[in-house]
């Protein structure tokens, strides 16, 4: 049975938030390019997905599937935006 309150899921959420914030902060001093924007979009999406995973503790079990589907949608949108930005030339 899936239990979103297990320490492994909470740890994964915390790691995703950390990883996303770290990626976002690494670009603060980089030149303004499409690559910088791509990394920022990736960092923001990872942090958002991590926060959604941490919020599973407070969500009723019947909504867990919807929250996880929304997190997957964010990651799909991240991929599409990153692909669009990588095609763009500076």
């Amino acid at each position: 049975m899936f239990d979103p309150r297990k320490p492994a899921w909470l740890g994964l959420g915390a790691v995703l938030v950390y990883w996303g914030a770290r990626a976002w902060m690494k670009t603060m001093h980089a030149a303004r390019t499409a690559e910088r924007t791509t990394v920022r979009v990736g960092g923001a999406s990872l942090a958002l997905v991590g926060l959604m995973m941490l919020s599973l503790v407070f969500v009723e079990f019947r909504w867990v599937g919807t929250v996880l589907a929304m997190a997957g949608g964010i990651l799909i949108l991240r991929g599409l935006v990153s692909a669009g930005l990588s095609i763009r030339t500076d």
Side-chain angles (χ1 to χ4, degrees), residues 64-78:
V64 168
T66 304
V67 173
L68 289 175
M70 288 172 31
I74 288 171
L75 293 176
I76 290 170
L77 186 61
R78 168 197 180 187

Side-chain angles (χ1 to χ4, degrees), residues 17-30:
V17 170
Y18 171 75
W19 192 6
R22 185 172 168 244
W24 179 270
M25 295 303 289
K26 283 175 85 173
T27 63
M28 292 298 261
H29 301 294

Side-chain angles (χ1 to χ4, degrees), residues 33-81:
T33 61
E35 183 178 337
R36 176 184 178 186
T37 305
T38 303
V39 172
R40 284 198 154 188
V41 166
S45 65
L46 282 178
L48 186 59
V49 168
L51 289 173
M52 291 176 82
M53 292 190 72
L54 289 174
S55 74
L56 291 177
V57 173
F58 305 108
V59 175
E60 290 183 34
F61 186 73
R62 64 181 174 159
W63 295 106
V64 168
T66 304
V67 173
L68 289 175
M70 288 172 31
I74 288 171
L75 293 176
I76 290 170
L77 186 61
R78 168 197 180 187
L80 293 173
V81 169

